Amino acid sequence: MELFIIGQVNMSKIDTAKTLLGLAKKNPGSYARAAKYAVKYGLVGLRDRFHDEIVMDDVALPSEGLEPGSSTGSVCFSIVMPVYNVDIKWLDLAIQSVEAQTYDNWEICIADDASTDQRVRDYLQKKESEKIKVVYLEDNQGISGATNAAAELAKGDFIALMDNDDIIHPAALADLFVAATVEHADLIYTDNDVVDEDGNRLAVLHKPDWSPDLMLSQMYVGHLVAFSRSLFESVGGFRSEFDGSQDYDLFLRMSAAAKRISHVAKSLYSWRAIASSTASNPDAKPYSQFAGQKAIQSYLDSLYGKDECRVDETDNLFVYDVRYPVAAGTLASIVIPTKDHADDLKVAIDSIFAKTEYPNFEIIVLDNNSSDAETFAYFDTVVSEHENVRVVTSAYPFNWSKLNNQGISEAKGDVLVFLNNDVEVLEGSWLTRLVENALRPEIGVAGALLTYPDGTIQHAGVVVGMGGWADHVYKAMPAVHNGNPFISPMVTRNVSAVTGACMAISRSCLEEIGLFDEDFIVCGSDVELCLRAMKYGKRNVYLPGVRLTHYESKTRDAKDIPAIDFKLSEAMYRPYVAAGDPYYNSNLDYMSCVPRVLSNKERLQRSVGARMEVSVPEIRPLHFVKAESERRRLNLLVPSVNPEDIFGGIATALKFYERLLAETGMDGRIIVLDAVTRVGSVSERFDGYELYELGSEGDAHFSIVNASSRNAADIPVARGDWFIATSWWSAYCYQSEYGVHFSRGDLEMNPLIYLIQDYEPGFYAWSSNYLLARSTYTSSTPVVAVFNSSELRQYFFERGFRFESEFSFDPMLNDKLKEKLVQLNGRAAKRRQILVYGRPGTPRNAFELVVESLREFVEACPESSLWEFVSAGEQHPPVPLANGRYLVSVGKQSLEGYASLLAESYAGISLMASPHPSYPPLEMASFGVKVITNTFVGKDLASFGDSVVSVSNVTPHGIGCELARICEGYSAEVSCGRVNARYLSDEDLFPFLTDMVKSLGL
């Protein structure tokens, strides 16, 4: 149906011969197959097959061994298939692949477009049934007309497009069902591969998540595509004037109307490479090139107005170049920080004036402590020769972020272009392209194609999480069109970030999202600005038409990068290291800048990035000093307030603190004991708070104090100060100081409000930490205890712990998870997926016991091969179970990602050696997961919801048998939300607060 090009691998005949020799030594079977292909296709054809078929022998494919019709759901899929004079064997294989679906709520809708081969009609008449509908057209209507006719037969909720000579994977519809129901998508696409006539995989394309700018450059979504029938009908179906690129035209129109576009990162569709197919022969339908251009222009006209935008062809077939309007008089300000290196700077500025076609620009050179006489001589020369060049003094220690922020304040332009001093412009339209894209209201930051002096790629977009940090995809590859196994570097596409060596952003966007984060000194703030733009709903775009040489060395020495940049970057990249970059693909190797598919073995041997090791400096003291103040103030002792740490216990502590502030009208001070608080974290989450370092406090009514260097200075404390401890070490620090000042009589201190969220001595084997944590419950310091569950309060009572007064509350579902749960409307689509709360670094979560239980299940249950095993909570390498099955970690998820995992998982295991009810089994049960958890002393969650299984005999065999029983009852769709009503309610989480405030005289 649709022309969709997969690029060729650049491999010389010598390279091919060397690779063949290596394969012969390593794998004779692969060598034999390579020799066969060399004879059949020649070396040029063979090189396309090396990466994706020979080298990828053990690449992970979608799950095998699933039985046809083994699951069903409420969504019916109509497979729409136009047919015209197709070879019967290909058509039969296509239909067989639908009949083999594990998901059985489907129908095939076929329109025979007046085939002249009678055998086609005879075959179709034999295949007609209740599930295979056929209409026979009297006149040939072309691809759009025939597909519309087939779609008129459809009664399903979703339509999926399929060519009559291709095949879909047995799990294809099951995965589409999950995307449609769990993600509420009305437009879905998947990865795909290309197979030859024998069914051998020739190539694979792993795509990014929805990338609108890529879609305007190339019809990258290809197959498999599915969409709601109502969406299809609302845009009027296919249009015959776009035959050849009718899918392109349809998808563009539907994308503008779709509520949610979802990408399934699995190769679920196989394109058949036969002589007449565009999958093997890009010249098979040359008219498609012009139809695609026409489709994009029509879409742009509908979006921006007729002839406002222009779409051009490029040197690469089926790759297009969209140009956007720029209002007359728009000024571009080019900001270039520099220190000496006048020769590099001269090359950059000379190339700007020699090449740039855009007429209205200024250059601001920020002189950051230059000292060479030649530099100042050049400054005088360039300013005298060009009236639109200014040199501004920046006499302070190097800080890339601060320099660019100064440049912004000096600039007069509508668009800011940040440029390194070691670049050279290569083509005339570079600035025009940056300006026209930066001005688009939906765009955050626009970036360029930067090449090394030898012509290879230095930057073609940043993948966040690559290498465990962030890196430039395609780095050191030739700057040529190559679209396999990922999108070509020569195609415009959306990216999570671009490099600050050349990036453009509009002034209006900066005013909306803020300036560069000056906490970053040398590197990282360019990526941070891009990611912040995404948080504000913007898209960042990489523009291969903006091409410059970057004279940076291919190997960069990191020794001069400050530790703070690494620390801030690690925190910033952490979600991407765990979950991946949406504009890359999880099937690709994040440890390689060259896009390559991870083999099955590699996938199981490594995770995307390194684990972060955390150490807690427990008993470093806080030092209080008496202050004279009449103000009443509530002080929260907390480990961190940075966004990446605000979940679980810290999130609960902040809620409690903020509610208590609202109830009492006190001033507020948050004392951060462990993590260094970032300026951006305060402005983002704590409106109205001033950030201070320990010992430098002002008189703000609401403040955050960095106290990670606890012995650096004293903390002023007055009679009106009340403290909330949120961990055993924060209670210990307070109690130690209380004892000191009580014995001296120099400071009158109030009782400690101790938010107890678990029995923390149980976090440690009997040890020093056990004794120290326990001591905070037996201290002579007056304590008001607040327990986060009635079970925990009872546990303390039974063990003889007593406090001045005690209060408790019970957990409630996180607001964002509750929002996602409501969207499910009481029903969730389920995969054959077992979700475990896996934290090998946290002994109380019994990770080893969970793994042994899964092994029991795999070994004892014949159907275990149908199930996937996913671990969430902490990044860890894949864990072998049995029979070739693995427990694979997805790390710590965002709330949105976690909600999707909960919604799609059928069964779960979450254990906790603690009297406090762990949140994960409660969350799992809320989303309809059949979850196994454990009793512990007085804790028994069996009554929480009807999908909770609470086991008292916690053994691998017992849990494995229980899991097998649960999985026998698998259903593709289950009810959700059937748990304790208060857990899902909108009631007050802290109903005791008013009484507590009265009793304490607050």
Side-chain angles (χ1 to χ4, degrees):
M1 291 173 67
E2 183 69 50
L3 183 57
F4 185 48
I5 297 300
I6 294 188
Q8 294 181 339
V9 177
N10 292 291
M11 185 184 290
S12 70
K13 293 183 179 181
I14 294 175
D15 290 336
T16 301
K18 288 180 179 178
T19 307
L20 277 171
L21 182 59
L23 283 169
K25 294 177 180 178
K26 180 181 177 182
N27 189 333
S30 290
Y31 173 70
R33 196 181 325 153
K36 170 187 171 184
Y37 284 162
V39 172
K40 187 171 182 179
Y41 301 108
L43 285 176
V44 173
L46 173 63
R47 69 189 183 190
D48 291 337
R49 292 155 176 79
F50 257 111
H51 187 275
D52 298 293
E53 207 276 323
I54 300 169
V55 178
M56 290 183 10
D57 274 342
D58 60 346
V59 162
L61 296 173
S63 304
E64 302 293 344
L66 299 173
E67 292 297 321
S70 57
S71 67
T72 190
S74 57
V75 175
C76 178
F77 290 93
S78 298
I79 313 298
V80 169
M81 183 186 296
V83 170
Y84 179 73
N85 285 348
V86 63
D87 190 321
I88 298 302
K89 68 178 180 180
W90 305 132
L91 178 57
D92 187 52
L93 287 172
I95 292 175
Q96 284 183 42
S97 73
V98 180
E99 293 173 326
Q101 291 299 297
T102 62
Y103 183 88
D104 70 355
N105 195 357
W106 56 264
E107 63 179 4
I108 305 178
C109 302
I110 298 174
D112 176 50
D113 198 18
S115 294
T116 58
D117 187 343
Q118 182 62 34
R119 291 172 298 177
V120 174
R121 179 178 286 248
D122 293 342
Y123 171 81
L124 291 174
Q125 288 175 339
K126 291 178 183 178
K127 292 297 293 184
E128 284 189 70
S129 67
E130 187 177 315
K131 300 197 74 167
I132 302 179
K133 307 173 182 179
V134 185
V135 60
Y136 302 93
L137 304 180
E138 294 184 4
D139 300 311
N140 184 277
Q141 297 186 18
I143 188 68
S144 292
T147 310
N148 282 337
E152 288 177 6
L153 300 174
K155 301 300 181 185
D157 306 282
F158 270 72
I159 290 173
L161 302 180
M162 186 173 179
D163 286 1
N164 57 32
D165 52 2
D166 296 337
I167 56 176
I168 58 176
H169 187 274
L173 295 184
D175 279 311
L176 293 181
F177 170 65
V178 171
T181 51
V182 172
E183 300 179 26
H184 301 284
D186 51 359
L187 186 52
I188 309 164
Y189 66 96
T190 77
D191 294 352
N192 68 269
D193 59 23
V194 177
V195 298
D196 66 9
E197 296 181 8
D198 298 323
N200 298 305
R201 174 182 270 187
L202 307 181
V204 66
L205 184 68
H206 292 299
K207 309 163 189 175
D209 289 349
W210 174 234
S211 176
D213 286 277
L214 174 57
M215 190 62 183
L216 291 173
S217 302
Q218 184 182 56
M219 173 48 173
Y220 82 97
V221 297
H223 296 292
L224 178 64
V225 172
F227 38 83
S228 70
R229 184 158 56 94
S230 60
L231 177 62
F232 174 75
E233 292 170 351
S234 72
V235 301
F238 290 95
R239 300 192 291 188
S240 296
E241 61 266 35
F242 298 96
D243 276 2
S245 280
Q246 70 287 333
D247 288 9
Y248 208 163
D249 168 62
L250 176 69
F251 201 103
L252 285 169
R253 287 183 287 123
M254 288 195 301
S255 70
K259 295 177 182 177
R260 180 176 175 86
I261 302 174
S262 179
H263 166 224
V264 179
K266 296 182 180 180
S267 184
L268 299 177
Y269 190 100
S270 294
W271 214 335
R272 181 83 62 182
I274 55 180
S276 61
S277 169
T278 55
S280 64
N281 179 12
D283 295 320
K285 299 177 183 177
Y287 62 90
S288 296
Q289 167 79 5
F290 307 107
Q293 184 180 10
K294 182 180 176 183
I296 298 171
Q297 188 65 59
S298 174
Y299 172 77
L300 293 171
D301 288 350
S302 69
L303 206 62
Y304 293 94
K306 189 169 178 58
D307 299 328
E308 285 295 312
C309 301
R310 183 182 84 244
V311 55
D312 298 327
E313 296 182 78
T314 67
D315 293 337
N316 300 309
L317 200 59
F318 305 106
V319 176
Y320 305 95
D321 180 22
V322 176
R323 303 302 304 274
Y324 297 91
V326 177
T330 300
L331 176 66
S333 297
I334 303 171
V335 177
I336 309 177
T338 193
K339 178 181 180 181
D340 294 318
H341 293 283
D343 51 346
D344 291 332
L345 181 63
K346 184 177 188 304
V347 168
I349 292 179
D350 284 353
S351 71
I352 292 172
F353 282 102
K355 299 276 188 172
T356 304
E357 298 168 357
Y358 191 80
N360 195 17
F361 67 89
E362 64 173 355
I363 299 175
I364 300 167
V365 177
L366 300 167
D367 173 27
N368 187 219
N369 303 315
S370 294
S371 57
D372 293 346
E374 305 86 52
T375 301
F376 296 110
Y378 174 69
F379 287 163
D380 292 340
T381 300
V382 73
V383 169
S384 64
E385 290 179 350
H386 304 285
E387 61 181 15
N388 57 343
V389 176
R390 285 184 285 146
V391 176
V392 176
T393 300
S394 306
Y396 46 79
F398 178 79
N399 181 309
W400 189 85
S401 309
K402 185 175 182 178
L403 284 165
N404 283 323
N405 286 341
Q406 182 186 3
I408 294 168
S409 67
E410 294 282 349
K412 302 173 183 176
D414 308 288
V415 173
L416 286 300
V417 178
F418 304 98
L419 208 63
N420 272 21
N421 65 352
D422 58 349
V423 299
E424 181 179 3
V425 174
L426 297 180
E427 51 78 44
S429 68
W430 77 284
L431 187 54
T432 309
R433 291 174 182 274
L434 286 174
V435 169
E436 68 188 41
N437 279 277
L439 287 173
R440 295 163 58 196
E442 68 272 21
I443 295 300
V445 185
L449 169 61
L450 303 180
T451 58
Y452 291 112
D454 65 2
T456 58
I457 294 172
Q458 189 269 339
H459 169 269
V462 172
V463 173
V464 186
M466 182 167 277
W469 297 86
D471 211 336
H472 301 175
V473 66
Y474 312 109
K475 189 163 63 177
M477 290 179 64
V480 296
H481 186 47
N482 175 17
N484 177 27
F486 185 60
I487 304 302
S488 167
M490 307 310 292
V491 178
T492 298
R493 69 187 200 285
N494 296 111
V495 291
S496 289
V498 298
T499 179
C502 179
M503 63 191 300
I505 186 170
S506 69
R507 184 175 294 278
S508 61
C509 183
L510 282 170
E511 290 170 352
E512 181 178 355
I513 72 172
L515 306 181
F516 288 94
D517 185 346
E518 295 182 12
D519 286 347
F520 293 88
I521 297 173
V522 174
C523 66
S525 63
D526 50 357
V527 175
E528 192 279 333
L529 187 73
C530 293
L531 296 182
R532 193 175 349 131
M534 289 173 61
K535 288 182 181 179
Y536 278 79
K538 308 284 186 182
R539 302 194 306 267
N540 303 313
V541 63
Y542 156 72
L543 305 167
V546 179
R547 190 161 177 174
L548 301 88
T549 296
H550 189 193
Y551 290 96
E552 179 187 66
S553 169
K554 287 190 179 182
T555 57
R556 182 175 182 176
D557 191 350
K559 67 181 180 181
D560 295 327
I561 298 176
I564 186 63
D565 287 358
F566 283 108
K567 186 170 185 176
L568 295 176
S569 295
E570 191 280 331
M572 175 173 58
Y573 300 151
R574 195 184 302 165
Y576 297 87
V577 170
D581 187 320
Y583 293 116
Y584 206 50
N585 191 291
S586 58
N587 294 284
L588 301 174
D589 185 1
Y590 273 73
M591 293 300 163
S592 170
C593 291
V594 176
R596 58 177 294 273
V597 181
L598 277 173
S599 71
N600 213 11
K601 183 177 180 181
E602 290 170 320
R603 189 184 306 276
L604 297 170
Q605 287 179 338
R606 71 168 77 158
S607 56
V608 172
R611 261 178 58 188
M612 185 182 117
E613 298 297 334
V614 179
S615 63
V616 181
E618 287 97 352
I619 60 171
R620 288 178 298 130
L622 283 171
H623 295 297
F624 294 163
V625 63
K626 185 176 182 179
E628 299 297 337
S629 174
E630 298 300 320
R631 289 156 53 178
R632 297 165 66 247
R633 179 168 54 184
L634 194 61
N635 298 266
L636 179 69
L637 299 170
V638 69
S640 173
V641 293
N642 291 330
E644 66 274 9
D645 297 318
I646 300 179
F647 66 95
I650 292 179
T652 302
L654 284 169
K655 284 182 182 178
F656 177 69
Y657 161 77
E658 287 164 351
R659 277 295 317 282
L660 197 50
L661 279 180
E663 193 82 16
T664 62
M666 289 182 170
D667 288 353
R669 177 170 63 174
I670 300 174
I671 301 173
V672 183
L673 299 179
D674 301 309
V676 176
T677 304
R678 302 192 298 273
V679 173
S681 300
V682 175
S683 60
E684 182 178 329
R685 169 67 173 77
F686 300 95
D687 186 35
Y689 277 73
E690 297 290 333
L691 178 62
Y692 298 106
E693 293 301 318
L694 195 62
S696 64
E697 285 190 63
D699 59 356
H701 288 278
F702 296 95
S703 62
I704 294 176
V705 179
N706 264 327
S708 56
S709 300
R710 298 184 200 168
N711 56 356
D714 296 331
I715 296 177
V717 176
R719 178 67 184 89
D721 277 303
W722 288 76
F723 282 79
I724 303 172
T726 59
S727 60
W728 76 261
W729 60 93
S730 61
Y732 180 91
C733 290
Y734 178 89
Q735 290 168 343
S736 295
E737 278 297 280
Y738 184 97
V740 169
H741 291 282
F742 181 81
S743 64
R744 293 199 307 233
D746 62 344
L747 177 59
E748 188 176 353
M749 296 172 67
N750 294 305
L752 173 66
I753 301 171
Y754 194 171
L755 180 57
I756 302 175
Q757 303 197 64
D758 212 324
Y759 182 69
E760 289 188 87
F763 294 6
Y764 315 98
W766 288 349
S767 63
S768 299
N769 280 2
Y770 179 96
L771 295 173
L772 288 167
R774 193 179 185 279
S775 75
T776 63
Y777 309 143
T778 57
S779 168
S780 59
T781 306
V783 168
V784 177
V786 179
F787 298 97
N788 71 341
S789 69
S790 53
E791 291 93 341
L792 186 61
R793 181 178 183 179
Q794 182 65 23
Y795 182 85
F796 272 70
F797 178 81
E798 290 173 354
R799 272 142 196 82
F801 296 109
R802 298 293 184 269
F803 304 95
E804 278 207 347
S805 55
E806 297 177 6
F807 303 90
S808 67
F809 61 97
D810 288 302
M812 296 177 70
L813 186 63
N814 175 279
D815 290 340
K816 289 189 177 179
L817 292 181
K818 190 187 304 180
E819 180 183 327
K820 296 293 182 181
L821 181 62
V822 169
Q823 293 174 4
L824 294 177
N825 294 318
R827 302 290 293 177
K830 297 295 185 181
R831 301 182 192 272
R832 281 188 171 87
Q833 180 168 284
I834 298 168
L835 174 64
V836 306
Y837 186 46
R839 299 205 295 170
T842 308
R844 64 184 179 278
N845 290 120
F847 183 72
E848 297 85 357
L849 180 53
V850 170
V851 170
E852 291 295 340
S853 301
L854 292 176
R855 286 174 180 154
E856 287 274 348
F857 169 74
V858 170
E859 290 174 348
C861 181
E863 302 297 314
S864 64
S865 62
L866 305 181
W867 292 81
E868 299 297 326
F869 305 89
V870 176
S871 170
E874 180 181 302
Q875 194 72 39
H876 61 78
V879 178
L881 300 175
N883 302 333
R885 311 297 291 159
Y886 285 80
L887 174 63
V888 179
S889 172
V890 294
K892 187 175 74 178
Q893 294 280 289
S894 66
L895 283 171
E896 184 172 286
Y898 181 45
S900 294
L901 268 179
L902 293 170
E904 69 184 24
S905 298
Y906 181 77
I909 303 176
S910 178
L911 307 180
M912 189 170 179
S914 165
H916 167 59
S918 180
Y919 292 155
L922 308 182
E923 293 158 348
M924 290 184 194
S926 300
F927 281 78
V929 180
K930 312 296 183 185
V931 58
I932 300 172
T933 188
N934 63 295
T935 61
F936 186 92
V937 195
K939 179 186 69 177
D940 186 350
L941 301 181
S943 62
F944 178 75
D946 57 10
S947 65
V948 178
V949 177
S950 187
V951 297
S952 56
N953 186 21
V954 190
T955 65
H957 179 73
I959 295 174
C961 290
E962 201 62 60
L963 186 59
R965 182 189 64 78
I966 287 171
C967 292
E968 283 178 5
Y970 170 73
S971 173
E973 196 169 32
V974 305
S975 60
C976 56
R978 299 174 62 177
V979 295
N980 181 297
R982 188 176 187 280
Y983 183 70
L984 302 181
S985 73
D986 295 322
E987 296 177 21
D988 184 4
L989 179 60
F990 309 109
F992 60 85
L993 266 184
T994 300
D995 290 340
M996 190 182 89
V997 169
K998 287 181 180 178
S999 68
L1000 296 179
L1002 294 174

